[in-house]
């Protein structure tokens, strides 16, 4: 349930900000050749620090002109699959990743999934706070959700801290203790720098 357009949106939203920073530097007297040398670093820094909030704002605006990554439809398809397949209906616990929310334009995706799952018998759920932890405060939470047919007695979230994409998303883990002494974990590990730009699927 991730945004397949996110890499393009990150770049599209960050380039104007980076251009503004470089134009301001040139206006303040930084030589143009130095601005040109610094531009890749400025773009990378802008993508890292402001990329996701800017991309979410741009994505929200593009929604008005038909740009959509069909998150709601994908959640509906997943819920329909759970309803139609008897083998899946017998499952007690479902761990979901990349069902993100955030402070800016949250979308309501975890809520949509949790409410739909409740109607299908997974009456208990755990999800991280919609407000992501620092340094991704203006970006995305971990996107982890646990759905359970058994009552949840306790839960905890863990954010892994600083990483290549720490300002854009809270990579981490989600734990739930269920009735009967069952402990369930789901985890979304951050990709290493060597693979971060390869379009992981």
């Amino acid at each position: 349930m991730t945004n397949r357009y996110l890499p393009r949106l990150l770049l599209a939203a960050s380039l104007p900000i980076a251009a503004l920073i470089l134009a301001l530097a040139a206006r303040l007297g930084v030589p143009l050749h130095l601005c040109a040398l610094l531009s890749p670093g400025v773009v990378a820094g802008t993508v890292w620090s402001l990329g996701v909030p800017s991309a979410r704002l741009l994505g929200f605006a593009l929604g008005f002109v038909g740009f959509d990554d069909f998150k709601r439809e994908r959640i509906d398809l997943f819920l329909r699959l759970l309803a139609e397949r008897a083998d899946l209906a017998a499952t007690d616990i479902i761990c979901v990743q990349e069902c993100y929310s955030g402070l800016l334009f949250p979308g309501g995706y975890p809520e949509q999934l949790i409410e739909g799952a409740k109607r299908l018998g997974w009456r208990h759920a755990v999800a991280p706070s919609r407000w992501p932890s620092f340094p991704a405060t203006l970006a995305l939470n971990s996107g982890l959700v646990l759905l359970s047919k058994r009552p949840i007695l306790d839960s905890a979230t863990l954010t892994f801290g600083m990483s290549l994409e720490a300002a854009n998303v809270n990579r981490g883990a989600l734990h739930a203790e269920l009735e009967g002494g069952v402990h369930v974990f789901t985890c979304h590990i951050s990709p290493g720098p060597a693979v971060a730009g390869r379009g992981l699927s």
Side-chain angles (χ1 to χ4, degrees):
M1 296 177 194
T2 189
N3 190 332
R4 62 188 165 140
Y5 300 111
L6 188 58
R8 287 179 230 153
L9 281 173
L10 284 172
L11 197 54
S14 300
L15 281 176
I17 297 169
L20 185 63
I21 292 168
L22 291 168
L24 182 61
R27 179 90 170 141
L28 292 173
V30 176
L32 288 178
H33 69 281
L34 186 56
C35 287
L37 285 172
L38 293 174
S39 62
V42 171
V43 170
T46 305
V47 168
W48 184 82
S49 61
L50 298 172
V52 168
S54 303
R56 289 179 69 79
L57 182 61
L58 181 60
F60 178 75
L62 290 174
F64 292 111
V65 292
F67 181 88
D68 191 357
D69 69 344
F70 306 103
K71 282 186 181 80
R72 294 195 180 286
E73 291 82 357
R74 286 185 275 161
I75 292 171
D76 287 340
L77 283 172
F78 179 61
L79 292 170
R80 188 181 323 151
L81 180 71
L82 293 176
E84 292 173 354
R85 297 233 342 236
D87 58 330
L88 297 179
T91 304
D92 286 338
I93 302 158
I94 299 173
C95 299
V96 178
Q97 296 181 354
E98 299 201 14
C99 190
Y100 296 110
S101 189
L103 185 62
L104 301 176
F105 310 109
Y109 308 115
E111 294 83 0
Q112 177 189 355
L113 177 64
I114 290 168
E115 287 305 311
K118 279 183 182 177
R119 289 191 295 272
L120 297 173
W122 288 271
R123 290 186 172 81
H124 310 279
V126 177
S129 167
R130 196 180 88 191
W131 189 306
S133 305
F134 178 82
T137 308
L138 297 177
L140 301 173
N141 66 11
S142 69
L144 302 173
V145 179
L146 285 170
L147 306 170
S148 175
K149 291 182 178 177
R150 300 181 188 190
I152 296 172
L153 304 178
D154 196 15
S155 66
T157 59
L158 169 70
T159 300
F160 291 146
M162 294 304 288
S163 70
L164 180 66
E165 57 186 358
N168 294 326
V169 64
N170 281 153
R171 295 290 184 211
L174 183 62
H175 163 258
E177 179 185 354
L178 309 182
E179 191 175 77
V182 175
H183 291 264
V184 181
F185 296 84
T186 184
C187 177
H188 201 163
I189 298 172
S190 176
V195 295
R198 286 197 208 151
L200 300 175
S201 57

